[in-house]
Amino acid sequence: AQKITQTQPGMFVQEKEAVTLDCTYDTSDQSYGLFWYKQPSSGEMIFLIYQGSYDEQNATEGRYSLNFQKARKSANLVISASQLGDSAMYFCAMREEQTGFQKLVFGTGTRLLVSP
Amino acid sequence: SQTIHQWPATLVQPVGSPLSLECTVEGTSNPNLYWYRQAAGRGLQLLFYSIGIGQISSEVPQNLSASRPQDRQFILSSKKLLLSDSGFYLCAWGAGLSTNEKLFFGSGTQLSVL
């Protein structure tokens, strides 16, 4: 079963507007972590934001915030005041609390294009 | 501060040729090391991970192998490349194994097997 689902292959937003990138996940664990990474055209994966399953507050990092809805198993990334430099691929990922090695599992990504 | 180096950035190899991609981490000790592959337009697939020197775990059966000869060095190899080995390879490191440990990635290697 797919652990991380990103249903938006591509998203468009105008500069200075906010945009939400969707992510749903599947796990039976009570303890897990959710991550968002940005991959610009250069290819490097850049960590953006983290949300723990027991965190009561939604995570925020500058213009990035994570809309965490635990009951719905969703962890959407909100980018406020989009900038041209935000154009990139965005990946949602999850790490579960399991015995043994806990690997980071990625979704298929959403390509965001910010227009002037 | 910690840095991760991965090379080469681009590689074009004929089918049947060998492969060696290298990744090194600086500024940390005993990192957990990972090799991911990203097919065109898709997410990242974990290939190998290592929690220590000589300790390699494979996630998927494949034509590739990995080695960790030194604490901060991780090598991805193949004896004979296949067309299906083409893709973008990313090395990553992490400091621990808890759920909140994020990974730090190298700049990647674009491998084209022709």
PDB file of all heavy atoms in Angstrom, chain B residues 27-55:
ATOM      1  N   GLY B  27      32.144  16.693   8.813  1.00  0.00           N
ATOM      2  CA  GLY B  27      31.630  17.441   9.938  1.00  0.00           C
ATOM      3  C   GLY B  27      30.750  16.664  10.884  1.00  0.00           C
ATOM      4  O   GLY B  27      30.120  17.254  11.769  1.00  0.00           O
ATOM      5  N   THR B  28      30.698  15.345  10.747  1.00  0.00           N
ATOM      6  CA  THR B  28      29.914  14.536  11.664  1.00  0.00           C
ATOM      7  C   THR B  28      30.552  13.155  11.761  1.00  0.00           C
ATOM      8  O   THR B  28      31.307  12.747  10.878  1.00  0.00           O
ATOM      9  CB  THR B  28      28.453  14.427  11.194  1.00  0.00           C
ATOM     10  OG1 THR B  28      27.676  13.749  12.186  1.00  0.00           O
ATOM     11  CG2 THR B  28      28.348  13.666   9.880  1.00  0.00           C
ATOM     12  N   SER B  29      30.229  12.445  12.826  1.00  0.00           N
ATOM     13  CA  SER B  29      30.757  11.099  13.011  1.00  0.00           C
ATOM     14  C   SER B  29      29.629  10.099  13.043  1.00  0.00           C
ATOM     15  O   SER B  29      28.529  10.402  13.508  1.00  0.00           O
ATOM     16  CB  SER B  29      31.531  11.017  14.339  1.00  0.00           C
ATOM     17  OG  SER B  29      32.622  11.892  14.345  1.00  0.00           O
ATOM     18  N   ASN B  30      29.944   8.898  12.531  1.00  0.00           N
ATOM     19  CA  ASN B  30      28.992   7.793  12.543  1.00  0.00           C
ATOM     20  C   ASN B  30      27.606   8.175  12.000  1.00  0.00           C
ATOM     21  O   ASN B  30      26.576   7.914  12.635  1.00  0.00           O
ATOM     22  CB  ASN B  30      28.848   7.234  13.964  1.00  0.00           C
ATOM     23  CG  ASN B  30      28.201   5.867  13.956  1.00  0.00           C
ATOM     24  OD1 ASN B  30      28.350   5.097  13.018  1.00  0.00           O
ATOM     25  ND2 ASN B  30      27.449   5.566  15.002  1.00  0.00           N
ATOM     26  N   PRO B  31      27.576   8.789  10.839  1.00  0.00           N
ATOM     27  CA  PRO B  31      26.263   9.122  10.266  1.00  0.00           C
ATOM     28  C   PRO B  31      25.575   7.868   9.722  1.00  0.00           C
ATOM     29  O   PRO B  31      26.244   6.900   9.365  1.00  0.00           O
ATOM     30  CB  PRO B  31      26.622  10.073   9.136  1.00  0.00           C
ATOM     31  CG  PRO B  31      27.969   9.605   8.686  1.00  0.00           C
ATOM     32  CD  PRO B  31      28.677   9.143   9.935  1.00  0.00           C
ATOM     33  N   ASN B  32      24.268   7.922   9.630  1.00  0.00           N
ATOM     34  CA  ASN B  32      23.541   6.934   8.843  1.00  0.00           C
ATOM     35  C   ASN B  32      23.568   7.425   7.401  1.00  0.00           C
ATOM     36  O   ASN B  32      23.314   8.594   7.128  1.00  0.00           O
ATOM     37  CB  ASN B  32      22.094   6.814   9.316  1.00  0.00           C
ATOM     38  CG  ASN B  32      22.027   6.338  10.746  1.00  0.00           C
ATOM     39  OD1 ASN B  32      22.755   5.436  11.146  1.00  0.00           O
ATOM     40  ND2 ASN B  32      21.171   6.960  11.530  1.00  0.00           N
ATOM     41  N   LEU B  33      23.887   6.518   6.484  1.00  0.00           N
ATOM     42  CA  LEU B  33      24.051   6.914   5.086  1.00  0.00           C
ATOM     43  C   LEU B  33      23.050   6.178   4.209  1.00  0.00           C
ATOM     44  O   LEU B  33      22.701   5.027   4.487  1.00  0.00           O
ATOM     45  CB  LEU B  33      25.483   6.623   4.622  1.00  0.00           C
ATOM     46  CG  LEU B  33      26.569   7.403   5.368  1.00  0.00           C
ATOM     47  CD1 LEU B  33      27.954   6.910   4.969  1.00  0.00           C
ATOM     48  CD2 LEU B  33      26.432   8.886   5.095  1.00  0.00           C
ATOM     49  N   TYR B  34      22.635   6.845   3.160  1.00  0.00           N
ATOM     50  CA  TYR B  34      21.561   6.328   2.301  1.00  0.00           C
ATOM     51  C   TYR B  34      21.883   6.586   0.827  1.00  0.00           C
ATOM     52  O   TYR B  34      22.473   7.607   0.485  1.00  0.00           O
ATOM     53  CB  TYR B  34      20.236   7.048   2.604  1.00  0.00           C
ATOM     54  CG  TYR B  34      19.804   7.061   4.051  1.00  0.00           C
ATOM     55  CD1 TYR B  34      20.413   7.893   4.976  1.00  0.00           C
ATOM     56  CD2 TYR B  34      18.758   6.239   4.483  1.00  0.00           C
ATOM     57  CE1 TYR B  34      20.014   7.919   6.304  1.00  0.00           C
ATOM     58  CE2 TYR B  34      18.350   6.263   5.800  1.00  0.00           C
ATOM     59  CZ  TYR B  34      18.972   7.102   6.703  1.00  0.00           C
ATOM     60  OH  TYR B  34      18.569   7.117   8.008  1.00  0.00           O
ATOM     61  N   TRP B  35      21.444   5.661   0.002  1.00  0.00           N
ATOM     62  CA  TRP B  35      21.403   5.889  -1.440  1.00  0.00           C
ATOM     63  C   TRP B  35      19.941   5.792  -1.890  1.00  0.00           C
ATOM     64  O   TRP B  35      19.274   4.793  -1.633  1.00  0.00           O
ATOM     65  CB  TRP B  35      22.220   4.860  -2.210  1.00  0.00           C
ATOM     66  CG  TRP B  35      23.687   5.137  -2.272  1.00  0.00           C
ATOM     67  CD1 TRP B  35      24.686   4.449  -1.653  1.00  0.00           C
ATOM     68  CD2 TRP B  35      24.343   6.174  -3.013  1.00  0.00           C
ATOM     69  NE1 TRP B  35      25.907   4.994  -1.949  1.00  0.00           N
ATOM     70  CE2 TRP B  35      25.724   6.054  -2.790  1.00  0.00           C
ATOM     71  CE3 TRP B  35      23.893   7.198  -3.849  1.00  0.00           C
ATOM     72  CZ2 TRP B  35      26.670   6.908  -3.363  1.00  0.00           C
ATOM     73  CZ3 TRP B  35      24.827   8.055  -4.417  1.00  0.00           C
ATOM     74  CH2 TRP B  35      26.199   7.908  -4.169  1.00  0.00           C
ATOM     75  N   TYR B  36      19.490   6.853  -2.551  1.00  0.00           N
ATOM     76  CA  TYR B  36      18.162   6.885  -3.141  1.00  0.00           C
ATOM     77  C   TYR B  36      18.304   6.995  -4.656  1.00  0.00           C
ATOM     78  O   TYR B  36      19.252   7.564  -5.161  1.00  0.00           O
ATOM     79  CB  TYR B  36      17.362   8.096  -2.650  1.00  0.00           C
ATOM     80  CG  TYR B  36      16.736   7.963  -1.291  1.00  0.00           C
ATOM     81  CD1 TYR B  36      17.460   8.284  -0.143  1.00  0.00           C
ATOM     82  CD2 TYR B  36      15.415   7.539  -1.145  1.00  0.00           C
ATOM     83  CE1 TYR B  36      16.886   8.184   1.112  1.00  0.00           C
ATOM     84  CE2 TYR B  36      14.830   7.442   0.110  1.00  0.00           C
ATOM     85  CZ  TYR B  36      15.567   7.768   1.222  1.00  0.00           C
ATOM     86  OH  TYR B  36      14.995   7.672   2.471  1.00  0.00           O
ATOM     87  N   ARG B  37      17.289   6.497  -5.367  1.00  0.00           N
ATOM     88  CA  ARG B  37      17.219   6.698  -6.805  1.00  0.00           C
ATOM     89  C   ARG B  37      15.884   7.347  -7.135  1.00  0.00           C
ATOM     90  O   ARG B  37      14.842   6.994  -6.578  1.00  0.00           O
ATOM     91  CB  ARG B  37      17.341   5.380  -7.576  1.00  0.00           C
ATOM     92  CG  ARG B  37      17.202   5.546  -9.095  1.00  0.00           C
ATOM     93  CD  ARG B  37      17.577   4.286  -9.839  1.00  0.00           C
ATOM     94  NE  ARG B  37      16.752   3.162  -9.483  1.00  0.00           N
ATOM     95  CZ  ARG B  37      17.077   1.886  -9.705  1.00  0.00           C
ATOM     96  NH1 ARG B  37      18.220   1.595 -10.303  1.00  0.00           N
ATOM     97  NH2 ARG B  37      16.272   0.929  -9.344  1.00  0.00           N
ATOM     98  N   GLN B  38      15.954   8.278  -8.065  1.00  0.00           N
ATOM     99  CA  GLN B  38      14.753   8.978  -8.515  1.00  0.00           C
ATOM    100  C   GLN B  38      14.616   8.779 -10.016  1.00  0.00           C
ATOM    101  O   GLN B  38      15.426   9.289 -10.793  1.00  0.00           O
ATOM    102  CB  GLN B  38      14.853  10.466  -8.182  1.00  0.00           C
ATOM    103  CG  GLN B  38      13.625  11.267  -8.530  1.00  0.00           C
ATOM    104  CD  GLN B  38      13.769  12.724  -8.137  1.00  0.00           C
ATOM    105  OE1 GLN B  38      14.876  13.239  -7.994  1.00  0.00           O
ATOM    106  NE2 GLN B  38      12.662  13.413  -7.960  1.00  0.00           N
ATOM    107  N   ALA B  39      13.607   8.031 -10.436  1.00  0.00           N
ATOM    108  CA  ALA B  39      13.321   7.890 -11.861  1.00  0.00           C
ATOM    109  C   ALA B  39      12.666   9.184 -12.333  1.00  0.00           C
ATOM    110  O   ALA B  39      12.099   9.933 -11.540  1.00  0.00           O
ATOM    111  CB  ALA B  39      12.407   6.700 -12.094  1.00  0.00           C
ATOM    112  N   ALA B  40      12.741   9.438 -13.624  1.00  0.00           N
ATOM    113  CA  ALA B  40      12.236  10.691 -14.188  1.00  0.00           C
ATOM    114  C   ALA B  40      10.772  10.914 -13.803  1.00  0.00           C
ATOM    115  O   ALA B  40       9.926  10.047 -14.041  1.00  0.00           O
ATOM    116  CB  ALA B  40      12.383  10.679 -15.708  1.00  0.00           C
ATOM    117  N   GLY B  41      10.491  12.066 -13.186  1.00  0.00           N
ATOM    118  CA  GLY B  41       9.126  12.428 -12.845  1.00  0.00           C
ATOM    119  C   GLY B  41       8.517  11.632 -11.701  1.00  0.00           C
ATOM    120  O   GLY B  41       7.291  11.638 -11.528  1.00  0.00           O
ATOM    121  N   ARG B  42       9.361  10.978 -10.923  1.00  0.00           N
ATOM    122  CA  ARG B  42       8.821  10.149  -9.842  1.00  0.00           C
ATOM    123  C   ARG B  42       9.495  10.496  -8.521  1.00  0.00           C
ATOM    124  O   ARG B  42      10.416  11.312  -8.463  1.00  0.00           O
ATOM    125  CB  ARG B  42       9.022   8.681 -10.175  1.00  0.00           C
ATOM    126  CG  ARG B  42       8.355   8.283 -11.481  1.00  0.00           C
ATOM    127  CD  ARG B  42       8.454   6.796 -11.733  1.00  0.00           C
ATOM    128  NE  ARG B  42       7.662   6.036 -10.769  1.00  0.00           N
ATOM    129  CZ  ARG B  42       7.566   4.714 -10.797  1.00  0.00           C
ATOM    130  NH1 ARG B  42       8.214   4.019 -11.710  1.00  0.00           N
ATOM    131  NH2 ARG B  42       6.853   4.086  -9.903  1.00  0.00           N
ATOM    132  N   GLY B  43       9.006   9.875  -7.474  1.00  0.00           N
ATOM    133  CA  GLY B  43       9.570  10.113  -6.153  1.00  0.00           C
ATOM    134  C   GLY B  43      10.856   9.355  -5.938  1.00  0.00           C
ATOM    135  O   GLY B  43      11.399   8.720  -6.842  1.00  0.00           O
ATOM    136  N   LEU B  44      11.355   9.430  -4.718  1.00  0.00           N
ATOM    137  CA  LEU B  44      12.616   8.793  -4.381  1.00  0.00           C
ATOM    138  C   LEU B  44      12.392   7.385  -3.851  1.00  0.00           C
ATOM    139  O   LEU B  44      11.527   7.153  -3.014  1.00  0.00           O
ATOM    140  CB  LEU B  44      13.346   9.610  -3.318  1.00  0.00           C
ATOM    141  CG  LEU B  44      14.174  10.788  -3.800  1.00  0.00           C
ATOM    142  CD1 LEU B  44      13.297  11.888  -4.344  1.00  0.00           C
ATOM    143  CD2 LEU B  44      15.045  11.307  -2.679  1.00  0.00           C
ATOM    144  N   GLN B  45      13.210   6.489  -4.336  1.00  0.00           N
ATOM    145  CA  GLN B  45      13.170   5.104  -3.884  1.00  0.00           C
ATOM    146  C   GLN B  45      14.456   4.795  -3.136  1.00  0.00           C
ATOM    147  O   GLN B  45      15.551   4.997  -3.662  1.00  0.00           O
ATOM    148  CB  GLN B  45      13.023   4.169  -5.091  1.00  0.00           C
ATOM    149  CG  GLN B  45      12.985   2.697  -4.717  1.00  0.00           C
ATOM    150  CD  GLN B  45      13.005   1.794  -5.932  1.00  0.00           C
ATOM    151  OE1 GLN B  45      13.669   2.071  -6.934  1.00  0.00           O
ATOM    152  NE2 GLN B  45      12.268   0.699  -5.869  1.00  0.00           N
ATOM    153  N   LEU B  46      14.312   4.302  -1.919  1.00  0.00           N
ATOM    154  CA  LEU B  46      15.488   3.949  -1.131  1.00  0.00           C
ATOM    155  C   LEU B  46      16.113   2.678  -1.676  1.00  0.00           C
ATOM    156  O   LEU B  46      15.433   1.658  -1.838  1.00  0.00           O
ATOM    157  CB  LEU B  46      15.095   3.757   0.338  1.00  0.00           C
ATOM    158  CG  LEU B  46      16.230   3.385   1.289  1.00  0.00           C
ATOM    159  CD1 LEU B  46      17.286   4.480   1.336  1.00  0.00           C
ATOM    160  CD2 LEU B  46      15.676   3.115   2.690  1.00  0.00           C
ATOM    161  N   LEU B  47      17.418   2.740  -1.959  1.00  0.00           N
ATOM    162  CA  LEU B  47      18.142   1.590  -2.483  1.00  0.00           C
ATOM    163  C   LEU B  47      18.918   0.876  -1.379  1.00  0.00           C
ATOM    164  O   LEU B  47      18.807  -0.339  -1.213  1.00  0.00           O
ATOM    165  CB  LEU B  47      19.110   2.035  -3.574  1.00  0.00           C
ATOM    166  CG  LEU B  47      18.522   2.745  -4.782  1.00  0.00           C
ATOM    167  CD1 LEU B  47      19.635   3.185  -5.721  1.00  0.00           C
ATOM    168  CD2 LEU B  47      17.520   1.863  -5.496  1.00  0.00           C
ATOM    169  N   PHE B  48      19.739   1.636  -0.668  1.00  0.00           N
ATOM    170  CA  PHE B  48      20.589   1.073   0.380  1.00  0.00           C
ATOM    171  C   PHE B  48      20.667   2.046   1.549  1.00  0.00           C
ATOM    172  O   PHE B  48      20.542   3.251   1.372  1.00  0.00           O
ATOM    173  CB  PHE B  48      22.027   0.842  -0.130  1.00  0.00           C
ATOM    174  CG  PHE B  48      22.142  -0.089  -1.292  1.00  0.00           C
ATOM    175  CD1 PHE B  48      22.171   0.401  -2.584  1.00  0.00           C
ATOM    176  CD2 PHE B  48      22.225  -1.464  -1.089  1.00  0.00           C
ATOM    177  CE1 PHE B  48      22.274  -0.457  -3.671  1.00  0.00           C
ATOM    178  CE2 PHE B  48      22.333  -2.325  -2.161  1.00  0.00           C
ATOM    179  CZ  PHE B  48      22.349  -1.823  -3.450  1.00  0.00           C
ATOM    180  N   TYR B  49      20.915   1.481   2.723  1.00  0.00           N
ATOM    181  CA  TYR B  49      21.241   2.320   3.859  1.00  0.00           C
ATOM    182  C   TYR B  49      22.293   1.624   4.699  1.00  0.00           C
ATOM    183  O   TYR B  49      22.449   0.402   4.636  1.00  0.00           O
ATOM    184  CB  TYR B  49      20.004   2.673   4.683  1.00  0.00           C
ATOM    185  CG  TYR B  49      19.305   1.511   5.339  1.00  0.00           C
ATOM    186  CD1 TYR B  49      19.671   1.074   6.607  1.00  0.00           C
ATOM    187  CD2 TYR B  49      18.249   0.868   4.703  1.00  0.00           C
ATOM    188  CE1 TYR B  49      19.009   0.024   7.218  1.00  0.00           C
ATOM    189  CE2 TYR B  49      17.583  -0.177   5.295  1.00  0.00           C
ATOM    190  CZ  TYR B  49      17.968  -0.600   6.562  1.00  0.00           C
ATOM    191  OH  TYR B  49      17.318  -1.647   7.160  1.00  0.00           O
ATOM    192  N   SER B  50      22.981   2.441   5.487  1.00  0.00           N
ATOM    193  CA  SER B  50      24.074   1.914   6.295  1.00  0.00           C
ATOM    194  C   SER B  50      24.120   2.651   7.628  1.00  0.00           C
ATOM    195  O   SER B  50      24.103   3.885   7.667  1.00  0.00           O
ATOM    196  CB  SER B  50      25.410   2.087   5.568  1.00  0.00           C
ATOM    197  OG  SER B  50      26.486   1.771   6.425  1.00  0.00           O
ATOM    198  N   ILE B  51      24.192   1.897   8.711  1.00  0.00           N
ATOM    199  CA  ILE B  51      24.283   2.512  10.035  1.00  0.00           C
ATOM    200  C   ILE B  51      25.697   2.432  10.588  1.00  0.00           C
ATOM    201  O   ILE B  51      25.943   2.905  11.704  1.00  0.00           O
ATOM    202  CB  ILE B  51      23.282   1.875  11.021  1.00  0.00           C
ATOM    203  CG1 ILE B  51      23.571   0.378  11.191  1.00  0.00           C
ATOM    204  CG2 ILE B  51      21.846   2.095  10.546  1.00  0.00           C
ATOM    205  CD1 ILE B  51      22.729  -0.266  12.282  1.00  0.00           C
ATOM    206  N   GLY B  52      26.628   1.853   9.820  1.00  0.00           N
ATOM    207  CA  GLY B  52      28.006   1.785  10.282  1.00  0.00           C
ATOM    208  C   GLY B  52      28.912   1.192   9.226  1.00  0.00           C
ATOM    209  O   GLY B  52      28.443   0.656   8.209  1.00  0.00           O
ATOM    210  N   ILE B  53      30.214   1.260   9.475  1.00  0.00           N
ATOM    211  CA  ILE B  53      31.196   0.739   8.519  1.00  0.00           C
ATOM    212  C   ILE B  53      30.914  -0.730   8.242  1.00  0.00           C
ATOM    213  O   ILE B  53      30.757  -1.529   9.173  1.00  0.00           O
ATOM    214  CB  ILE B  53      32.626   0.910   9.073  1.00  0.00           C
ATOM    215  CG1 ILE B  53      32.964   2.389   9.220  1.00  0.00           C
ATOM    216  CG2 ILE B  53      33.641   0.235   8.138  1.00  0.00           C
ATOM    217  CD1 ILE B  53      34.303   2.636   9.876  1.00  0.00           C
ATOM    218  N   GLY B  54      30.854  -1.056   6.962  1.00  0.00           N
ATOM    219  CA  GLY B  54      30.648  -2.436   6.560  1.00  0.00           C
ATOM    220  C   GLY B  54      29.231  -2.954   6.742  1.00  0.00           C
ATOM    221  O   GLY B  54      28.950  -4.098   6.399  1.00  0.00           O
ATOM    222  N   GLN B  55      28.345  -2.136   7.269  1.00  0.00           N
ATOM    223  CA  GLN B  55      26.957  -2.556   7.496  1.00  0.00           C
ATOM    224  C   GLN B  55      26.070  -1.948   6.417  1.00  0.00           C
ATOM    225  O   GLN B  55      25.804  -0.748   6.439  1.00  0.00           O
ATOM    226  CB  GLN B  55      26.481  -2.119   8.881  1.00  0.00           C
ATOM    227  CG  GLN B  55      27.305  -2.662  10.020  1.00  0.00           C
ATOM    228  CD  GLN B  55      26.778  -2.190  11.368  1.00  0.00           C
ATOM    229  OE1 GLN B  55      25.650  -2.483  11.739  1.00  0.00           O
ATOM    230  NE2 GLN B  55      27.599  -1.435  12.076  1.00  0.00           N
TER     231      GLN B  55
END
